[in-house]
Amino acid sequence: MALSTIELKPTIQVTKQSIKDIIVETDSAIAVDRDLSNKQELDASKLIVIPNTSLKPVPEPNSAEHWTSNVCTDHMITCTWTASSGWQSPRLVPYGPFSIMPTASVLHYATECFEGLKFYRGYDGALRLFRPDRNCNRMLRSATRISLPAFDPQELQKLIKALVSVDGERWLPKSRPGNFLYLRPTMIATAPGLGVKVPQEALLYVIACCLPTLDEPQRNPFVEMDQSINTTGTDSVKTSRHGMKLFASRHNMVRAWPGGFGFAKVGANYGPSLLAQAEAKSLGYDQVLWLLGPDCEITEAGASNFFVVWRTRQGQLQLVTAPLDDQVILDGVTRRSVLELARERLGDTREIPEAVDVVERKFYMDEVVEAGKEGRLVEAFVVGTA
């Protein structure tokens, strides 16, 4: 079965040297042995396949099973790594639990990273991944930021395609065009033993999960809303509606900062944000608009990249989003795609009535408030970081 990949730009050639360059660029202070030539590398061609003989029923789209975010396909990819020998042969095995010791590093020191991307059943019958090379490259940056082992991103991409090729036909049948499954590549440090130290063992795994379609903010229709969490007296969180309400974060709640790890997709970025998210929802908002510093610099919204469209006081229409250079926000694949498409298609007035100036810069809450008061704010939107 052919598996096509949509690319807006050619895939960059990844070599051992380029992997090392990414590691050095990410954090030159990481004192970890990453000599790829002396150890076994991640190699998708060594994949061992163990078919699942007890296939699960495939739930209907947007069913109660989808809303649990806990129903996965029949198989998963696993691959272990040790500091002494490198990567072992990857395996495609039946989906199920695995065991780690209670003293495993991941359970105490947040030594884990992950990715999120989707694969789709097209209306032409084909299965598609959207720019998976971007996710695999980003996962390498995330892994090395927290001293997890390096790998060739192209090999991870091949393993993802192997999982899709095995489970895609059954879980995304051609009779359901337009539907998707969510892919979650993950790496965790598994070596037992307490103590803050560089991981000596790791597990890479890839699962595919059923998720509901979230085309607009809405609650789970299969769960009754807890009335006690809504203190505003409104029904804003109880019913589906167009648009999102964002709650600007307080000074004592900061998601990421310069010199930190906001650019890496690691669990430590998300757990501490849940308290602010719960507060926002209790006040009738959908998510948190994350601000940084005394000037209230706008960074992200929830776990998404944030954009505004406004007019300057000179009348220029602009698309504005936060920059990547200080490594505060995540380099979202959808964010990157939006910027590339906007620059390509919205800058030529021969094809559209008015050109849009695409800007990546720091911008602040006061600017958004002023643009709104002066009637220059056209819209704001978020895109997922997958």
Side-chain angles (χ1 to χ4, degrees):
M1 177 185 64
L3 182 68
S4 58
T5 304
I6 300 174
E7 299 289 349
L8 298 186
K9 286 188 174 181
T11 302
I12 298 173
Q13 182 66 34
V14 178
T15 64
K16 291 181 184 179
Q17 185 58 47
S18 67
I19 295 172
K20 293 178 181 178
D21 290 343
I22 290 175
I23 297 170
V24 172
E25 177 184 336
T26 299
D27 190 350
S28 58
I30 298 177
V32 186
D33 179 10
R34 297 300 186 217
D35 187 352
L36 301 178
S37 62
N38 295 336
K39 301 182 179 72
Q40 293 293 322
E41 300 174 30
L42 184 63
D43 187 349
S45 70
K46 297 180 180 179
L47 181 67
I48 299 170
V49 178
I50 303 176
N52 192 338
T53 58
S54 301
L55 302 182
K56 297 179 286 189
V58 179
E60 292 292 322
N62 288 319
S63 61
E65 291 87 349
H66 278 239
W67 279 93
T68 67
S69 303
N70 193 38
V71 176
C72 293
T73 61
D74 297 304
H75 298 89
M76 62 183 181
I77 298 285
T78 65
C79 190
T80 59
W81 172 90
T82 64
S84 59
S85 58
W87 290 101
Q88 306 304 303
S89 296
R91 295 157 59 90
L92 190 149
V93 298
Y95 175 84
F98 45 75
S99 63
I100 57 176
M101 296 302 290
T103 54
S105 173
V106 63
L107 301 179
H108 302 271
Y109 309 113
T111 45
E112 67 88 29
C113 65
F114 61 93
E115 269 300 326
L117 65 158
K118 297 175 183 177
F119 69 98
Y120 307 82
R121 174 66 73 178
Y123 286 91
D124 59 355
L127 286 173
R128 287 188 173 85
L129 290 161
F130 181 70
R131 310 188 84 179
D133 58 307
R134 304 293 184 180
N135 296 91
C136 295
N137 286 335
R138 187 173 65 185
M139 187 162 177
L140 174 62
R141 289 193 293 271
S142 298
T144 55
R145 177 61 180 86
I146 54 174
S147 299
L148 286 170
F151 56 88
D152 186 334
Q154 290 187 351
E155 296 303 308
L156 175 57
Q157 184 173 326
K158 292 174 185 177
L159 293 173
I160 290 172
K161 288 184 177 181
L163 178 61
V164 171
S165 67
V166 170
D167 283 349
E169 193 66 32
R170 182 167 178 270
W171 285 78
L172 284 181
K174 292 183 179 179
S175 60
R176 299 179 183 176
N179 285 297
F180 70 91
L181 288 172
Y182 185 79
L183 290 161
R184 173 52 62 86
T186 306
M187 194 190 303
I188 62 176
T190 54
L194 299 180
V196 181
K197 54 189 174 183
V198 170
Q200 298 299 298
E201 298 176 10
L203 173 66
L204 169 68
Y205 63 93
V206 185
I207 56 175
C209 185
C210 297
L211 294 182
T213 301
L214 298 175
D215 294 329
E216 60 181 25
Q218 56 183 337
R219 67 177 176 90
N220 184 341
F222 301 98
V223 177
E224 289 297 323
M225 176 62 64
D226 181 357
Q227 300 294 332
S228 66
I229 70 169
N230 186 5
T231 61
T232 63
T234 70
D235 62 354
S236 59
V237 298
K238 293 188 290 184
T239 59
S240 175
R241 65 174 193 282
H242 295 292
M244 295 182 70
K245 289 179 65 178
L246 299 180
F247 178 73
S249 64
R250 306 183 192 279
H251 289 300
N252 62 345
M253 290 286 185
V254 179
R255 195 200 75 85
W257 52 91
F261 40 85
F263 69 96
K265 207 166 179 67
V266 296
N269 274 330
Y270 296 89
S273 72
L274 300 181
L275 184 62
Q277 178 181 324
E279 180 186 8
K281 288 186 178 295
S282 74
L283 296 174
Y285 295 86
D286 295 296
Q287 264 297 351
V288 177
L289 179 63
W290 292 106
L291 307 180
L292 174 63
D295 296 328
C296 296
E297 176 188 340
I298 294 175
T299 60
E300 294 184 336
S304 301
N305 294 129
F306 181 76
F307 291 78
V308 295
V309 180
W310 61 26
R311 291 188 183 278
T312 66
R313 288 194 172 94
Q314 293 72 39
Q316 172 66 51
L317 193 61
Q318 286 187 338
L319 172 65
V320 184
T321 194
L324 301 176
D325 51 13
D326 56 4
Q327 297 188 329
V328 169
I329 71 167
L330 201 66
D331 182 7
V333 178
T334 310
R335 172 193 179 278
R336 180 183 292 268
S337 302
V338 167
L339 292 173
E340 290 176 1
L341 287 170
R343 289 187 172 110
E344 176 185 332
R345 302 186 181 184
L346 301 182
D348 191 346
T349 55
R350 292 175 298 179
E351 299 181 2
I352 58 175
E354 183 177 4
V356 178
D357 184 23
V358 180
V359 179
E360 295 177 76
R361 70 164 175 87
K362 293 183 179 182
F363 65 111
Y364 304 89
M365 197 65 183
D366 285 348
E367 292 183 89
V368 175
V369 172
E370 289 175 3
K373 289 180 178 179
E374 296 171 5
R376 297 184 288 108
L377 184 61
V378 179
E379 66 174 323
F381 63 94
V382 300
V383 297
T385 53

